Each structure stands twice: as structure tokens, then as C-alpha cells.
Amino acid sequence: MVQLNEKLESILAEVIRRNQGEPEFHQAVREVLESLGRVVAKRPDLLEDALIERICEPERQIIFRVPWIDDAGNVRINRAFRVQFNSALGPYKGGIRFHPSVNVGIIKFLGFEQTFKNALTGMPIGGGKGGSDFDPKGRSDREIMRFCQSFMTELHRHIGEYTDVPAGDIGVGGREIGYMFGQYKRLNNRFEAGVLTGKALFYGGSRARTEATGYGNTYFVKAMLETKGTSFDGKKVVISGSGNVAIYTHAKVTSFGGKVIAMSDSSGYVVDENGIDLALIKEIKEIRRARISEYVRIKGEGKGVYFVKAGDGSIWDVACDVAMPSATQNELTGKDAKALVKNGVVAVGEGANMPSTPDAIRVFQEAGVMFAPGKAANAGGVATSALEMQQNASRDSWTFEQTEARLATIMKNIHDTCYATAEEYGVPGDYVSGANIAGFVKVAEAMRALGVI
Ligand code: NDP
Ligand code: 2IT
């Protein structure tokens, strides 16, 4: 752990005291404060007016009950959250997560990260996050619809095109956004396309939004590899997860000449030394909504194809050149990082939010592995959400090529900003510090301009 100076240590102690039992939030705050040690020395003005303390405190936190009726007629209850973290740069913006592990601390860590990520995109968006401990696994389409409608019946009064613009995250994709948008439209009696992003194309969605997070992470890692004169060509890549982010990471990595040899879900991981067949993964995950072991059942075991059950091993034991964790927080531990380093990994790009533990990050950095933190590398999703908002505001619809070209430029800019900021603050090649410092300075300067509010 990096030693914090007295001022930053006392800010962290206060965050921990006031947000007890929220380890993921503490972890996210600590990481940013560790980077801010360098800002304190160079920009003491940003210590004034309790800017750091204010940035660590969400502007508003909403917790509500979501009652719904399952297919058997039973009444069910879930708890839901929307943490409106920071609106200095624009309306709160960030996804909604449906997963049984969701609690206020997890939503707070995600909202905190989102604030800096959104600042890095250069788009006019603040930070927020929401979700529920609802478990969509095994639920029918009608149950999902009733849940989304009940969730939006409460949430609708807190969001809006100029207030707060949610999108998808774990367990929330195009289907859920459709049901939520339908209910919002009904309750407000207005077609306010810009209130949600990740919509389908026929009612105001943006081309390339579905692909954007995975594509964006791949663009970021490509730029990072280029700083060392190398590329994805011929590299073996391991991607954890097999949801939205993981699937489109595979697609882009493959188009750049990389070979994806392993993917996973919460039940385990599959390896295919010949290259994971993406069409089959999409069929299993997006159509059948089945478990990843189906891949091996259909392909047949042997000839470099096998499945390892969760608990029997880690996907990070699979030797690769590039690792792209794209499932969930703290999924890649210090032990995993050591295994990756031992097997010769050269770059890591975080598709998920905070997938590497602090120990893992330290192992990568000490070994000289290029490491792209999620708040920079996975910003392509929210950046393209902001492009969706732009299209909605101008009642326009851009081509895929146009939208992807904007995404590629944004990712290159984020990479270059992190790189240059790390150099400027005396930690060349440290993308963690680069991202945290660049994001913080932008939000803090905007907050100062707006006064103490
Ligand atoms: P999806 O729901 O589409 O996919 C999630 C994937 O991760 C699934 O394969 C899931 O497996 C796996 N997973 C989720 N939770 C766990 C867990 N606790 N343990 C092991 N595996 C798990 O979500 P996304 O692809 O949208 O999101 C993945 C990550 O990317 C998240 O961290 C999210 O916050 C982040 N992200 C997403 C963006 C987006 O635009 N969607 C933008 C930026 C970041 P299973 O099906 O078995 O649960
Ligand atoms: O973590 C994230 O950046 C997202 N889930 C996407 C947020 C968004 O508003 O598109």
C-alpha cells in the first residue's frame, strides 16, 4: 500500500468512518487518494474548499423497494439504488446493475469510479450508478418485464434527460433498457429519448453502443501496445466474462489479429487453443442464456478444448500475452497477477470496473506490465452513450462507421491524456495515476468554478 500523507489519510479515515461495511467503496477511494499525493504537491490549490472531501461524498443517494409478482403469483421484494455521485460536468450518467451481490457500497464505488471515467471521456457528463439485488438468472421474459416496470415506477421521478441518464451494466442489456424506457414513457407521457442510453436502434439507440465498451478497451490496449512498438497481431488473449463487454472485446481483438483462447462466466472458464468461436459464445449467451460449459459440450472436449469449473482453477492460469478482465470487481487477485506475470503477460486492459485487486495492480506495475485501469480503458461504453445523447438531442442517427470513428478517437485521446498526465506528474507509464489525476483535476476545477454547492 502507498503511504498517504496526513491530509489524505484523514480524508480516507473519514470516508471509512461514514461509510461502514462498504469495502469496495473504500478500495476505490483509497486508490484515487494514493494518486492524489502527487497532485497535492503540484496543485495545492486543489486542496482548498474541501474539494477532495466533497468529491468523495455522493450528491444524492436513493434507496427504494421494488415489489413485483413472479410467474407463480408470489409477491417478491427487492432493494434498489441510484447513487447520483457528481454533476459538476453534466447530468449524472452511469449504468444500472441487476445482480444478487448489489448493495449500496458497490453502487457507491461504481458511481465514484464513473465520475472520473466520465470526466476522462471529455464529454459533458457527471457520474452516477444504480442497480438492484434482483437476480435475473432463470427469470422468464415476463418476470424481467414486470421487475423493470416496477423498478422504473419509482426511479422515473429521479431521472431525466437533464438530470440523470442511466444505461446498462451487469444483468441489464437492450431488453431491460427497452422495458424501462417503455415504462418511463408511459408514466411521463413523453418520448424523452435522451433519458436512457443503450436503447435499440428503432427507438433512438446509437449504432456501436452495444459494441462500444469492448471495442473501446481494445482500442486503448492497442494504443498502449503501440507505445512499446508492438500490436495485437499474433498475441494470445484471455478475456474473462462472456457478457456484453467480453463478447465485443473478442470481436475487436480478433479483427486486430489477436487470438482469444479463453473466456468465462461465474460457473467456470473454457479454453479453446484454436481460438474461441465467438458465434457459438453469442448463441449460448445471447440467445439461449445458458452456462459457458455448453461450449465444450457442443464443440467436444479434447484437441485444446476444455472446461474448468469455478473453484477448480482460475482463468488467469491460462498462459497469454494480453489479459482483459471483463466480468466483475476484484476477480483478478495478486496470486492471479503473479501467474500471469510468470507466464509472460505484457499488457492488461480492464474491461470491467475495478476487476484487479490492489495487490494485483502492484504485481503488474512492479513487473513492468502495461496496465490500463478500468476507469480509462472501459470508458468507450459511456462515451458512446454520450454520443447517443447527442444524436437524441439533435434527432439524428449516425452511421456505424461515423460512430465507431468517434469512439476510436475518444479512446486514443483518453490513452494519450493518461500517458501525458503520468509523465507530467513524474510517474511515466503509470496509467493508474495518469487516469486518476487527469479525471480528478477536471472534476475538481469544474466544482470550484461552480462554488460551494
Ligand atoms: P453482462 O451482464 O453482459 O456480463 C457479465 C459477465 O460477467 C457474465 O459473463 C457474468 O457471468 C460475469 N460475472 C458477473 N458477475 C460475476 C461474478 N460475481 N463472478 C464471476 N463472473 C461474474 O455485463 P457487462 O458485460 O455489461 O459488464 C461486465 C463488466 O464490465 C462489469 O464490471 C461492468 O461494470 C463493466 N462495464 C460495462 C459497461 C457496459 O457498457 N456494459 C461499460 C463499462 C464497464 P454470469 O452470467 O455467470 O453471471
Ligand atoms: O460502467 C459503465 O461505464 C457502464 N456501465 C456504462 C454507463 C453508461 O452510461 O453507458
Side-chain angles (χ1 to χ4, degrees):
M1 255 183 228
V2 175
Q3 186 66 39
L4 296 176
N5 74 23
E6 209 181 315
K7 166 91 179 165
L8 295 171
E9 190 61 66
S10 84
I11 293 175
L12 179 63
E14 188 63 0
V15 166
I16 293 170
R17 190 188 66 76
R18 303 174 76 226
N19 300 275
Q20 288 186 26
E22 299 176 6
E24 294 86 359
F25 181 48
H26 306 164
Q27 182 183 333
V29 171
R30 178 169 188 106
E31 189 208 274
V32 169
L33 295 183
E34 284 181 356
S35 301
L36 294 191
R38 297 183 176 269
V39 179
V40 170
K42 212 174 160 89
R43 293 285 308 270
D45 58 306
L46 295 179
L47 273 186
E48 289 163 16
D49 294 340
L51 278 166
I52 302 180
E53 290 89 331
R54 277 194 282 151
I55 254 178
C56 294
E57 179 68 15
E59 289 177 17
R60 190 175 295 106
Q61 306 180 50
I62 301 149
I63 304 184
F64 54 101
R65 177 175 76 188
V66 184
W68 57 283
I69 297 174
D70 70 17
D71 285 345
N74 302 309
V75 176
R76 304 267 182 163
I77 299 292
N78 284 97
R79 185 177 294 173
F81 311 87
R82 186 76 187 163
V83 174
Q84 299 180 326
F85 222 105
N86 194 299
S87 60
L89 295 174
Y92 308 107
K93 179 86 199 86
I96 290 174
R97 176 178 292 190
F98 290 167
H99 193 272
S101 63
V102 164
N103 59 41
V104 71
I106 287 183
I107 299 300
K108 235 185 256 175
F109 115 66
L110 290 163
F112 181 77
E113 292 284 284
Q114 196 82 44
T115 300
F116 302 104
K117 181 195 306 190
N118 294 4
L120 286 171
T121 66
M123 319 288 286
I125 42 179
K129 198 83 185 192
S132 173
D133 59 5
F134 173 68
D135 186 358
K137 278 203 189 72
R139 290 289 163 205
S140 71
D141 200 60
R142 288 298 162 95
E143 288 178 318
I144 299 283
M145 181 177 76
R146 287 195 293 274
F147 180 82
C148 289
Q149 290 175 338
S150 182
F151 177 85
M152 186 52 81
T153 300
E154 173 60 31
L155 188 67
H156 86 280
R157 66 187 98 249
H158 306 291
I159 62 173
E161 183 183 348
Y162 296 103
T163 316
D164 183 357
V165 183
D169 193 79
I170 292 176
V172 176
R175 172 180 63 167
E176 292 74 17
I177 293 290
Y179 294 146
M180 287 192 244
F181 185 74
Q183 185 72 349
Y184 182 88
K185 184 171 81 61
R186 184 183 190 195
L187 290 166
N188 289 285
N189 190 31
R190 48 194 251 132
F191 196 107
E192 188 187 330
V195 68
L196 289 173
T197 60
K199 302 181 293 294
L201 293 184
F202 46 83
Y203 68 93
S206 172
R207 291 189 177 82
R209 173 63 188 89
T210 308
E211 295 81 358
T213 310
Y215 278 23
N217 187 20
T218 313
Y219 279 121
F220 193 105
V221 174
K222 176 174 177 278
M224 204 163 64
L225 291 169
E226 281 166 0
T227 66
K228 296 270 167 78
T230 178
S231 74
F232 269 108
D233 202 27
K235 293 220 166 31
K236 283 190 180 178
V237 181
V238 169
I239 303 172
S240 62
S242 48
N244 171 269
V245 178
I247 284 175
Y248 293 98
T249 302
H250 181 311
K252 206 47 160 187
V253 163
T254 307
S255 82
F256 287 155
K259 183 155 129 188
V260 178
I261 53 164
M263 291 180 81
S264 66
D265 66 15
S266 58
S267 67
Y269 67 91
V270 292
V271 174
D272 187 340
E273 298 286 357
N274 315 303
I276 295 270
D277 174 349
L278 187 60
L280 183 54
I281 291 283
K282 284 172 96 167
E283 154 87 21
I284 293 168
K285 288 293 161 183
E286 292 180 343
I287 298 166
R288 297 202 221 163
R289 296 185 190 267
R291 303 284 75 205
I292 203 153
S293 52
E294 277 293 285
Y295 185 93
V296 174
R297 203 184 58 76
I298 293 166
K299 283 262 168 190
E301 194 159 353
K303 297 204 191 100
V305 179
Y306 59 94
F307 171 69
V308 178
K309 210 159 63 183
D312 288 357
S314 163
I315 189 172
W316 310 118
D317 290 335
V318 178
C320 63
D321 305 301
V322 180
M324 301 178 83
S326 306
T328 195
Q329 64 274 0
N330 292 327
E331 56 161 312
L332 197 166
T333 64
K335 183 164 170 268
D336 294 327
K338 282 185 190 142
L340 283 163
V341 167
K342 184 165 150 271
N343 288 324
V345 75
V346 296
V348 178
E350 293 191 325
N353 286 305
M354 209 169 77
S356 311
T357 63
D359 280 351
I361 297 175
R362 204 166 312 115
V363 170
F364 290 137
Q365 293 187 328
E366 282 172 11
V369 173
M370 289 179 265
F371 178 79
K375 66 168 74 67
N378 73 35
V382 75
T384 309
S385 279
L387 299 179
E388 183 171 332
M389 292 162 72
Q390 274 188 29
Q391 292 168 76
N392 294 151
S394 57
R395 300 189 187 283
D396 201 355
S397 173
W398 308 340
T399 63
F400 195 97
E401 291 68 29
Q402 222 178 334
T403 320
E404 195 189 342
R406 291 281 301 266
L407 167 65
T409 306
I410 292 167
M411 294 315 299
K412 177 77 169 89
N413 289 341
I414 298 174
H415 170 275
D416 293 354
T417 300
C418 296
Y419 189 87
T421 306
E423 295 242 304
E424 186 189 339
Y425 282 82
V427 273
D430 176 355
Y431 289 87
V432 174
S433 299
N436 288 335
I437 295 172
F440 169 78
V441 169
K442 181 145 196 211
V443 178
E445 285 183 335
M447 285 174 72
R448 192 170 48 187
L450 299 181
V452 179
I453 53 170

